[in-house]
Amino acid sequence: MPSYTAPVKDQIFVLHDVLKIAEQQDVPGYDELDRETTEAILEEAAKLAENVLAPLNAVGDEQGCTLENGVVRTPKGFKDAFDQVRDGGWTALDCDPEYGGQGLPYLISTAVGEYFSAANMAFNMYQGLTHGAYNAIHAHGSDEQKATYLPKMVTCEWGGTMNLTEPHCGTDLGLIRTKAVPQEDGSYQITGNKIWISAGEHDMCENIIHLVLAKLPDAPEGVKGISLFIVPKFLVNEDGSLGARNSLSCGGLEKKMGIHGNATCVMNYDGATGYLVGEPHKGMRAMFTMMNEARLGVGLQGYAQGEVAYQNALGFAQERLQGRDVTGVAAPDKPADPIIVHPDVRRNLMDQKSITEGARAFTFWGASLIDRSHRAGDDAAEGLISLLTPVIKGFLTDKGFETAVLAQQTLGGSGFTREWGMEQFVRDARITMIYEGTNGIQSLDLVGRKLGQDGGKHVMAFFELVKGFIAETKGKDAQFDAQFIEPLKAASKDLQAAGMYFMQNGMKNPNNALSGSYDFMHLFGHVCLGLMWARMALAAQTCLDEGASDVAFYQTKIATGRYYMARQLPMTATHLARIQSGAEPVMALDAANF
């Protein structure tokens, strides 16, 4: 049975020594996040993740969800655990106090979310989807809608979903067929079929508030004709009590590769009563309100699965005896040495460690930009996180899955068996590369929309940020320059060269840009992690210089950063070469010749 230990110390390091959140006094709420307060919150969340959620991860995978007479039953123990999460106020961390939330910054919710996702990803999706629906209603709903639905969604007494996909269309939502017919009382009659609806039906909440994309009778073609509707499982009376069951049902549960503990539903709407959110035909704008947070959350899921897989791979490598250290016997009192002495096992583990720790810092930085945008009204932060969101989602989920596979490989044959739990991490991590927009779509969004957004000023701001960091730190320490600054500078130049290639060749042949978009997303991701590792190494050295007591922790951080800069960051040159090969190698075959 795998185990999980929440990385509280590493998170505290990122939050306070790297991002220095307590010093960001211009972001409302950050002034209250001193180290002691942050640590107290995270320690309590860690207990819940380690002692309640993690033991249910394998249970949820083995039992899955069942559909009985239209009711979805969640795995044994899920409902009790959900009550504990709800009663502890964890669902309300960053929600609006006006509706019962605690009003903490999104960054703290992100940190806690890592624990819950790593401990039990399928379970955490129930509250995660509710939070996304809460965000959309909070941003675009009427005052009456907010008062009716948000207090119960904040506490997760009522769940929430997002209903986008239909059997005949996925990413191209302009093709949806679900209809919304206006009624005399101001409501709408919703009729249609939605698929792959996470947490669409379950037994842990007394009501579920579905957000459904549909088209009005007079809707224009394409995405400009989509509206968003609140369609509750149970209608809500004027006094807030639950009324009649709405005309909607779960038509089936998807049989999936992973996340078995989460109910992925086919939802049927048969003239169900719905209520328009925001303006007619503006549903996509309302739905995309939550996309930065939702996609950052999926990036977090990806590296969180990598983190828990790494922890278990490390434990195995420290205990598994096989072969002898080629430089001399490491455990003379044992018949063989633990496999962690072998360089190739070390390489495997260092890849895992350097990716997950770099991903954590990158994600937390992204969450801090969301806070700066939403809480401080910082337009530059909004532009930067908009640019970085597809990188966080696409790159970190690719690398999170890769990390889980590497961790599985560390266990050899044991990693392939269910007993050890590693194959579940691999299966669960796989969905993160697909939902909330496949990673191919993320790369197209990055190259096709985000690079040129607002005249390209956001990507230029990123380059200036990297350039500024290099200028501030270069020359202060020759070893730091050689190990961190020069590799970061080279990688940043590769990223700029790739952008220049798109500018020079993409206009005359768009396929030149689109054929290289996936490589560009990874190139960009490596530069971001390189920047994070340089910042972390600098912070760790500062802590050592100031006499920090845990010398091993900071020295380990610096050594892990050196590994990333030497062994991972040079991949930017490979991605650049592939980008500069253009569209011809990709598009050479006629469709019939594949």
Side-chain angles (χ1 to χ4, degrees):
M1 176 72 71
S3 62
Y4 173 66
T5 301
V8 176
K9 187 168 187 175
D10 200 68
Q11 286 197 351
I12 292 294
F13 168 72
V14 173
L15 293 170
H16 289 284
D17 297 318
V18 181
L19 297 179
K20 300 183 182 298
I21 58 173
E23 298 178 16
Q24 296 186 37
Q25 299 291 308
D26 58 329
V27 181
Y30 276 32
D31 56 330
E32 300 176 6
L33 297 179
D34 58 83
R35 190 180 293 257
E36 184 177 340
T37 300
T38 307
E39 192 163 1
I41 295 170
L42 296 182
E43 289 284 4
E44 287 303 311
K47 293 175 186 176
L48 186 60
E50 294 167 1
N51 301 325
V52 177
L53 304 187
L56 291 174
N57 195 42
V59 174
D61 186 59
E62 292 166 4
Q63 293 185 5
C65 297
T66 56
L67 179 61
E68 302 173 358
N69 299 319
V71 177
V72 172
R73 305 294 181 191
T74 51
K76 184 179 180 180
F78 268 44
K79 191 174 189 307
D80 179 64
F82 200 75
D83 289 342
Q84 292 186 57
V85 171
R86 184 165 46 206
D87 294 345
W90 298 106
T91 64
L93 279 180
D94 65 326
C95 295
D96 190 341
E98 183 176 347
Y99 303 104
Q102 298 183 39
L104 288 169
Y106 173 67
L107 178 56
I108 297 301
S109 179
T110 299
V112 170
E114 181 192 328
Y115 298 167
F116 293 174
S117 289
N120 197 325
M121 177 175 155
F123 173 90
N124 195 54
M125 289 172 63
Y126 290 99
Q127 65 167 331
L129 270 296
T130 302
H131 191 276
Y134 156 89
N135 277 337
I137 296 173
H138 188 271
H140 297 280
S142 66
D143 290 342
E144 181 181 358
Q145 288 171 339
K146 294 177 187 179
T148 299
Y149 299 106
L150 294 189
K152 299 278 187 164
M153 295 177 75
V154 165
T155 61
C156 273
E157 292 170 81
W158 295 355
T161 70
M162 297 181 285
N163 285 237
L164 289 77
T165 307
E166 298 184 7
H168 61 283
C169 68
T171 301
D172 191 354
L173 292 172
L175 299 176
I176 68 170
R177 297 171 184 163
T178 300
K179 297 297 183 184
V181 179
Q183 304 298 295
E184 292 184 0
D185 63 358
S187 66
Y188 293 80
Q189 194 176 75
I190 310 298
T191 301
N193 179 244
K194 299 286 185 177
I195 62 170
W196 303 337
I197 308 306
S198 299
E201 169 62 34
H202 58 87
D203 58 359
M204 298 193 296
C205 297
E206 61 184 17
N207 199 9
I208 301 175
I209 311 306
H210 300 284
L211 292 187
V212 182
L213 292 181
K215 288 188 173 182
L216 296 167
D218 61 344
E221 293 295 321
V223 295
K224 293 183 178 179
I226 296 176
S227 300
L228 182 65
F229 299 87
I230 292 172
V231 188
K233 175 180 175 180
F234 289 97
L235 299 175
V236 182
N237 297 321
E238 289 187 7
D239 63 359
S241 63
L242 297 184
R245 171 74 185 246
N246 211 346
S247 300
L248 59 89
S249 61
C250 173
L253 293 176
E254 304 289 354
K255 297 179 180 179
K256 303 167 298 193
M257 176 180 176
I259 54 169
H260 295 157
N262 191 267
T264 306
C265 303
V266 174
M267 296 300 299
N268 299 320
Y269 296 89
D270 302 306
T273 299
Y275 308 95
L276 180 67
V277 178
E279 301 176 40
H281 317 314
K282 302 294 185 182
M284 290 303 295
R285 185 178 68 180
M287 192 63 78
F288 274 100
T289 292
M290 54 189 152
M291 280 304 175
N292 280 351
E293 290 189 22
R295 288 175 173 170
L296 183 143
V298 175
L300 180 148
Q301 287 180 330
Y303 85 75
Q305 290 303 292
E307 166 68 29
V308 66
Y310 162 70
Q311 289 185 16
N312 286 273
L314 175 60
F316 183 91
Q318 291 171 330
E319 297 177 3
R320 175 72 168 181
L321 302 180
Q322 188 167 307
R324 288 294 189 186
D325 187 339
V326 295
T327 63
V329 175
D333 58 327
K334 296 178 181 178
D337 291 333
I339 63 173
I340 199 169
V341 304
H342 304 308
D344 191 61
V345 174
R346 292 287 187 98
R347 172 201 57 79
N348 195 323
L349 291 170
M350 287 297 285
D351 279 345
Q352 297 170 51
K353 182 176 175 63
S354 65
I355 288 293
T356 55
E357 292 181 14
R360 175 177 299 118
F362 185 22
T363 302
F364 283 19
W365 178 42
S368 74
L369 290 173
I370 289 176
D371 277 334
R372 181 165 288 279
S373 167
H374 292 179
R375 289 173 169 257
D378 188 328
D379 291 338
E382 174 62 29
L384 189 55
I385 189 56
S386 180
L387 170 71
L388 296 177
T389 292
V391 184
I392 292 172
K393 195 282 183 186
F395 180 68
L396 296 191
T397 57
D398 276 355
K399 289 299 180 180
F401 176 74
E402 179 183 308
T403 298
V405 171
L406 288 171
Q408 183 186 38
Q409 186 74 14
T410 307
L411 272 69
S414 297
F416 197 67
T417 61
R418 182 157 293 189
E419 174 188 358
W420 291 83
M422 302 300 285
E423 54 86 39
Q424 183 189 347
F425 300 138
V426 172
R427 288 186 288 107
D428 286 354
R430 187 65 182 88
I431 186 57
T432 65
M433 302 158 72
I434 299 172
Y435 62 14
E436 283 299 335
T438 65
N439 288 356
I441 293 295
Q442 302 303 318
S443 70
L444 296 180
D445 177 48
L446 174 63
V447 171
R449 294 180 63 245
K450 299 301 175 60
L451 282 186
Q453 195 171 37
D454 296 327
K457 76 173 186 179
H458 305 304
V459 72
M460 295 307 297
F462 176 81
F463 287 135
E464 285 301 313
L465 187 153
V466 175
K467 183 179 177 181
F469 174 81
I470 291 172
E472 290 172 10
T473 54
K474 186 174 175 60
K476 295 181 179 180
D477 183 286
Q479 187 177 50
F480 185 81
D481 283 354
Q483 295 175 344
F484 289 93
I485 296 302
E486 291 305 322
L488 177 60
K489 187 176 180 180
S492 180
K493 286 183 177 180
D494 286 343
L495 184 62
Q496 293 177 63
M500 185 62 67
Y501 175 83
F502 290 155
M503 288 179 61
Q504 294 173 345
N505 298 276
M507 292 297 290
K508 58 185 178 183
N509 181 4
N511 282 339
N512 280 323
L514 300 183
S515 295
S517 61
Y518 210 93
D519 280 285
F520 187 81
M521 180 178 73
H522 273 247
L523 200 167
F524 207 150
H526 276 299
V527 172
C528 289
L529 260 63
L531 175 62
M532 292 298 102
W533 270 116
R535 292 179 64 180
M536 285 192 285
L538 186 64
Q541 187 60 55
T542 300
C543 290
L544 289 172
D545 293 343
E546 293 174 352
S549 58
D550 193 350
V551 173
F553 174 83
Y554 298 108
Q555 288 179 339
T556 298
K557 186 64 67 175
I558 294 170
T560 307
R562 286 201 307 265
Y563 178 90
Y564 185 86
M565 305 304 274
R567 300 279 302 216
Q568 290 280 350
L569 194 57
M571 281 298 300
T572 59
T574 298
H575 289 301
L576 175 61
R578 289 164 57 160
I579 289 167
Q580 291 176 335
S581 72
E584 198 282 327
V586 176
M587 306 301 291
L589 294 183
D590 290 335
N593 293 335
F594 276 87

